[in-house]
């Protein structure tokens, strides 16, 4: 059965649609009843593994960021044998360390009206009503426990004069619920998880494999039982087996090449799992962060994020007149346009990221952008310095100001920062049920690797909240339930599923190394990234998406014909690492564009130019698109299969998302 993207699933497809529609998808693990009671009910109904039996179970955890580090430490603390992997030289170098601004929690320390219910409401609304209520409410419920856990670990959150933990505001909310450690929140939280993990490594409960990259998933008799991984130093390809596999490998923003992600952040683990049967949900939901240092030239390999926390005190503006190239200090107040404060007075500079990003693009498209090429807007702290004093501003944002000055050679205490939107977070990811289990039994995905909590747009400071919630509090319950309900047998060393998977990995590596081409991996990555940014970036339209869907298969065929990877496989070879990842990006990019084309509405980070209100804002089409789009891999060269999970809103009813 096939479906045109503007028709009901039972209607025939149009001639240009290249996907099939499969059976509807349901989250069978989500309990019924009042949303406030579902997580308690799920925990009580979960079967337990007694402490003496836990040491008999081996769990593989791929990734050591906030989600993976928290999961590995907690599972080992419970008594399971954990085998963990990261491609960095140390678990503490995971990309979570780059998160700057803070972590949300509904503790209401400011007594400003916050609550679990309000955090739940803000998150569903901020995601433009494309997230599950059950998952989001659970996230809001455990948020307070995350702060308690991290304080107990010694995370040095900022404190007020009276000793209470300090909070600040972030985009999309009108309360102050974001806990922070200056501009180093991700680093401090990661160090907390890392010390817990290190304790278990020293105790012999976690077997840690750094500098090791997962290249495929072992599925035996329909169940995830291990991974195939490559030692990045020696090149050795090995297999690791266990009773369950947890992917905590982050997002896929680097498919665009220029993003705020670390260069080694990649989609290989989740994409290979997708090819082995795990559905991929909402791949077109990618987030553009509004507060990034603008691109400065073709020499850049990545972009640098400036924390959203800066929008607490910084004011965003552009010249009121197009073509005004005067220095910012020479432009008087009445000739400036504080466009977010003008258009969204209730939230001002703290509107959600998707709205702030599109607004910045709009004023730059009008010819009012600043800096080289007119691709920037001012983030100005003059008023804050006059109101609070330079010392107070430095205490809150000093390391961010220093980082900006080192990169741009401009002093933000004296002249406004220049910022512009950039690819940042990905709300899409592997489809998981309420237990965080994918469509492959025994395979779990946590943190940014799954799709579950943020809908079409992530509110700032919610990534750290989700990663730690999944790792510390959710997965240890649901994974134990799976192990208790699914006894297993040992896998024979020469099992055909294992040998076949290893052979497919080594054949692929040999093909990359043996190809006598003339193009580098980065040249393909650059071309793909520019194509995606133009056609599937801040705004999308049918013509551009069809253009991308025509070009990507051609580029993929050219990749396998012309790629050249110098060096060998039995050594450190970063060209081989990159080529392997770009090959996956070339497949994932096509699915992203396919998903963006079929979803002919605007919501959150997905802005279809054909679906907008008369005043230019995003316009959802709830009657047609209130669902999760979960894509099934049907084989190389075959059309993917779309499964729809209908979203039901019982407590936060979809309305026009207004921040005016």
């Amino acid at each position: 059965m096939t479906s045109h993207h503007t028709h009901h699933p039972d209607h025939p497809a149009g001639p240009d649609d290249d996907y099939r529609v499969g059976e509807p998808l349901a989250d069978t693990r989500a309990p019924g009843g009042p949303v406030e009671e579902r997580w308690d009910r799920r925990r009580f109904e979960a079967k337990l593994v007694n402490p003496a039996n836990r040491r008999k179970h081996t769990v593989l955890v791929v990734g050591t960021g906030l989600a993976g580090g928290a999961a590995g430490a907690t599972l080992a603390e419970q008594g399971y044998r954990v085998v963990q992997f990261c491609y960095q030289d140390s678990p503490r170098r995971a990309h979570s360390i780059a998160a700057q601004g803070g972590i949300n929690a509904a503790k209401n320390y400011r007594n400003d009206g916050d609550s679990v219910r309000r955090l739940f409401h803000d998150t569903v609304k901020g995601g433009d009503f494309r997230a599950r209520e059950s998952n989001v409410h659970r996230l809001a419920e455990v948020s307070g426990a995350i702060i308690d856990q991290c304080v107990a670990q010694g995370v040095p959150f900022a404190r007020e004069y009276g000793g209470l933990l300090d909070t600040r505001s972030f985009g999309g909310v009108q309360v102050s619920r974001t806990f922070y450690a200056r501009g180093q929140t991700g680093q401090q939280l990661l160090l907390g998880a890392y010390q817990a993990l290190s304790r278990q490594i020293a105790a012999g409960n976690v077997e840690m494999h750094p500098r090791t990259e997962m290249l495929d998933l072992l599925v035996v008799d329909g169940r995830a039982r291990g991974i195939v991984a490559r030692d990045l130093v020696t090149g050795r390809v090995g297999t690791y087996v266990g009773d369950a596999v947890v992917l905590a490998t982050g997002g896929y923003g680097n498919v665009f090449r220029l993003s705020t992600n670390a260069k080694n952040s990649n989609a290989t683990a989740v994409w290979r799992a997708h090819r082995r049967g795990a559905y991929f949900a909402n791949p077109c939901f990618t987030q553009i962060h509004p507060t990034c240092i603008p691109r400065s030239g073709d020499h850049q390999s990545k972009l640098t994020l400036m924390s959203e926390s800066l929008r607490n005190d910084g004011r965003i503006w552009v010249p009121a007149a197009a073509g005004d190239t005067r220095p910012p200090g020479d432009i008087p107040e009445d000739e400036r346009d504080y466009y977010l404060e003008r258009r969204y007075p209730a939230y001002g500079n703290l509107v959600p990221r998707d709205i702030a990003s599109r607004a910045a693009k709009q004023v730059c498209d009008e010819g009012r952008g600043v800096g080289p090429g007119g691709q920037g807007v001012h983030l100005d702290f003059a008023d804050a310095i006059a109101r609070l004093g330079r010392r107070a501003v430095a205490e809150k944002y000093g390391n961010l100001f220093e980082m900006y000055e080192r990169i741009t050679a401009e002093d933000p205490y004296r002249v406004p920062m220049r910022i512009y939107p950039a690819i940042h977070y990905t709300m899409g990811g592997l489809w998981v049920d309420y237990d965080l289990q994918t469509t492959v039994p025994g395979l779990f995905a946590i943190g940014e690797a799954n799709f579950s909590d943020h809908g079409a747009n992530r509110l700032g400071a919610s990534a750290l909240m989700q990663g730690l919630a999944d790792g510390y509090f959710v997965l240890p319950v649901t994974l134990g339930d799976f192990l208790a309900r699914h006894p297993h047998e040992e896998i024979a060393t020469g099992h055909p599923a294992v040998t076949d998977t290893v052979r497919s990995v080594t054949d692929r590596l040999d093909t990359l190394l043996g190809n006598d081409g003339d193009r580098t991996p980065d040249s393909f990555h650059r071309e793909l990234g520019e194509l995606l940014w133009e056609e599937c970036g801040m705004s999308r339209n049918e013509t551009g998406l069809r253009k991308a869907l025509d070009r990507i298969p051609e580029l993929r065929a050219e990749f396998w014909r012309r790629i050249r990877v110098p060096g060998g496989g039995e050594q450190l070879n970063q060209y081989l690492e990159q080529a392997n990842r770009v090959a996956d990006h070339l497949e994932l990019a096509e699915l992203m564009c396919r998903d963006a084309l079929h979803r002919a509405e605007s919501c959150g980070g997905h802005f279809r130019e054909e679906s907008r209100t008369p005043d230019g804002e995003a316009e959802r089409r709830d009657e047609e698109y209130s669902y999760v789009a979960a894509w099934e891999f049907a084989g190389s060269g075959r059309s993917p299969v779309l499964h729809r999970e209908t979203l039901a809103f019982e407590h936060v009813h979809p309305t026009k998302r207004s921040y005016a």
Side-chain angles (χ1 to χ4, degrees):
M1 187 188 301
T2 56
S3 167
H4 189 274
H5 62 273
T6 58
H7 287 221
H8 188 274
D10 292 334
H11 293 175
D16 296 323
D17 289 292
D18 188 20
Y19 65 88
R20 296 175 291 147
V21 172
E23 295 299 318
L25 193 60
D27 179 9
T28 59
R29 304 305 300 175
V35 71
E36 300 87 355
E37 300 174 8
R38 291 174 188 171
W39 179 228
D40 277 345
R41 180 176 171 185
R42 180 71 190 97
R43 285 189 294 175
F44 179 73
E45 293 176 348
K47 291 192 70 173
L48 303 178
V49 180
N50 81 60
N53 286 337
R54 291 175 195 163
R55 67 177 69 99
K56 302 175 184 177
H57 291 286
T58 298
V59 180
L60 276 59
V61 180
V62 186
T64 60
L66 286 183
T74 306
L75 292 169
E77 191 78 44
Q78 289 181 329
Y80 296 104
R81 180 174 180 269
V82 175
V83 183
Q84 196 147 2
F85 307 84
C86 69
Y87 53 67
Q88 299 91 349
D89 57 0
S90 167
R92 63 184 173 83
R93 297 196 66 183
H95 187 56
S96 299
I97 204 168
Q100 301 162 341
I103 177 171
N104 290 330
K107 279 188 168 290
N108 195 33
Y109 280 176
R110 289 290 185 95
N111 196 27
D112 56 0
D114 201 10
S115 64
V116 166
R117 184 174 180 180
R118 190 174 296 279
L119 175 53
F120 164 56
H121 181 279
D122 287 344
T123 305
V124 174
K125 176 185 174 183
D128 221 351
F129 305 96
R130 292 294 176 263
R132 287 191 195 131
E133 285 192 336
S134 295
N135 291 68
V136 176
H137 197 279
R138 176 175 65 189
L139 179 64
E141 285 179 65
V142 304
S143 64
I146 296 170
I147 303 302
D148 296 339
Q149 168 88 1
C150 295
V151 169
Q153 290 176 334
V155 173
F157 286 118
R159 293 182 180 268
E160 295 178 325
Y161 178 77
L164 284 178
L165 299 183
D166 196 13
T167 55
R168 54 191 178 197
S169 298
F170 257 60
V173 302
Q174 291 180 305
V175 297
S176 183
R177 67 161 65 104
T178 303
F179 296 80
Y180 65 98
R182 292 189 76 193
Q184 307 168 356
T185 313
Q187 178 182 9
Q188 298 302 329
L189 291 172
L190 184 62
L191 289 173
Y194 172 62
Q195 69 181 7
L197 183 63
S198 296
R199 177 175 180 270
Q200 295 301 320
I201 294 172
N205 300 326
V206 173
E207 178 185 307
M208 189 69 223
H209 294 269
R211 304 187 187 94
T212 305
E213 183 171 26
M214 172 181 164
L215 296 184
D216 216 330
L217 178 71
L218 293 175
V219 180
V220 180
D221 298 328
R223 174 175 169 176
R225 293 298 303 272
I227 68 171
V228 179
R230 179 175 180 268
D231 184 311
L232 297 179
V233 177
T234 67
R236 188 185 75 85
V237 174
T239 59
Y240 303 85
V241 298
D243 307 316
V245 178
V246 179
L247 298 186
T249 52
Y252 51 92
N254 262 344
V255 68
F256 289 87
R257 185 177 178 272
L258 283 183
S259 79
T260 65
N261 290 266
K263 281 299 293 177
N264 281 337
S265 297
N266 65 83
T268 287
V270 293
W271 188 251
R272 303 295 172 83
H274 173 61
R275 290 177 62 94
R276 294 290 174 187
Y279 293 0
F280 207 111
N282 299 336
C284 77
F285 286 169
T286 54
Q287 182 169 80
I288 318 293
H289 197 295
T291 317
C292 181
I293 297 178
R295 179 176 177 174
S296 60
D298 292 338
H299 65 282
Q300 286 178 278
S301 61
K302 72 177 300 294
L303 298 173
T304 302
L305 176 70
M306 299 306 296
S307 170
E308 183 178 319
S309 63
L310 295 169
R311 293 199 275 152
N312 272 275
D313 291 303
R315 301 180 68 194
I316 296 172
W317 63 275
V318 292
D324 189 340
T325 59
R326 288 179 291 173
D330 294 345
I331 301 177
E333 282 289 317
D334 60 356
E335 296 181 34
R336 300 179 179 188
D337 181 12
Y338 295 91
Y339 57 91
L340 292 178
E341 298 172 29
R342 171 175 56 82
R343 293 176 59 179
Y344 311 103
Y347 285 74
N349 297 299
L350 287 172
V351 294
R353 292 174 175 180
D354 58 322
I355 292 175
S357 294
R358 284 196 296 274
K361 181 179 186 298
Q362 181 178 340
V363 296
C364 291
D365 290 347
E366 293 170 358
R368 298 193 286 145
V370 301
Q375 296 295 298
V377 299
H378 290 307
L379 178 60
D380 196 337
F381 282 84
D383 285 358
I385 292 172
R387 183 179 74 254
L388 303 171
R390 174 168 172 155
R391 180 177 177 180
V393 171
E395 287 177 353
K396 296 170 75 173
Y397 310 114
N399 62 312
L400 299 173
F401 278 41
E402 180 183 347
M403 182 172 70
Y404 181 88
E405 184 172 8
R406 286 185 176 183
I407 292 171
T408 66
E410 297 175 0
D411 181 359
Y413 291 106
R414 297 176 57 250
V415 297
M417 292 183 180
R418 285 179 292 107
I419 58 171
Y420 192 70
I423 293 292
H424 180 52
Y425 190 88
T426 52
M427 286 74 65
L430 294 184
W431 184 91
V432 292
D433 62 16
Y434 190 68
D435 285 357
L436 306 181
Q437 186 171 200
T438 71
T439 49
V440 176
L443 176 66
F444 294 76
I446 60 177
E448 194 179 354
N450 73 36
F451 86 101
S452 67
D453 289 8
H454 305 298
N457 173 63
R458 177 177 67 80
L459 292 181
S462 288
L464 307 187
M465 177 174 60
Q466 185 210 350
L468 292 179
D470 288 356
Y472 281 137
F473 298 109
V474 180
L475 182 77
V477 174
T478 61
L479 180 62
D481 177 77
F482 171 81
L483 294 173
R485 294 178 187 275
H486 297 86
H488 66 283
E489 296 180 356
E490 295 298 321
I491 302 174
T493 306
H495 193 289
V498 176
T499 56
D500 290 348
T501 304
V502 172
R503 186 181 304 110
S504 70
V505 169
T506 55
D507 287 350
R508 177 185 173 106
L509 296 175
D510 290 343
T511 299
L512 289 169
L513 289 165
N515 201 57
D516 189 22
D518 60 353
R519 288 190 62 176
T520 65
D522 192 62
S523 72
F524 283 103
H525 199 180
R526 183 187 298 270
E527 184 174 347
L528 175 66
E530 291 175 352
L531 177 67
L532 275 185
W533 176 251
E534 291 299 322
E535 312 301 351
C536 197
M538 265 197 285
S539 62
R540 299 99 186 259
N541 59 56
E542 182 175 351
T543 300
L545 289 167
R546 292 194 183 280
K547 173 185 173 182
L549 285 168
D550 286 340
R551 176 57 184 150
I552 291 171
E554 296 174 351
L555 188 61
R556 190 165 60 244
E558 187 176 341
F559 173 89
W560 289 106
R561 188 174 66 251
R562 296 183 59 187
I563 188 67
R564 180 177 180 83
V565 179
E570 297 180 354
Q571 61 187 59
L572 176 66
N573 189 338
Q574 292 186 304
Y575 287 102
L576 179 60
E577 294 172 38
Q578 186 182 18
N580 213 22
R581 296 164 185 170
V582 172
D584 293 323
H585 289 154
L586 285 163
E587 296 182 359
L588 172 56
E590 185 172 359
L591 187 64
M592 291 169 62
C593 293
R594 175 68 55 208
D595 188 43
L597 179 61
H598 111 276
R599 188 176 286 274
E601 66 162 350
S602 293
C603 59
H606 170 63
F607 185 70
R608 280 291 295 269
E609 295 174 3
E610 302 93 337
S611 184
R612 65 175 92 185
T613 63
D615 57 354
E617 299 291 348
E619 185 170 45
R620 294 193 322 271
R621 295 165 62 176
D622 292 332
E623 292 185 2
E624 296 173 77
Y625 294 103
S626 282
Y627 60 77
V628 176
W631 296 88
E632 177 187 0
F633 182 74
S636 298
R638 300 184 61 190
S639 301
V641 181
L642 171 63
H643 300 268
R644 292 176 170 89
E645 179 200 338
T646 301
L647 293 169
F649 296 96
E650 304 170 24
H651 303 274
V652 186
H653 299 290
T655 58
K656 180 180 178 180
R657 197 166 57 126
S658 174
Y659 294 93

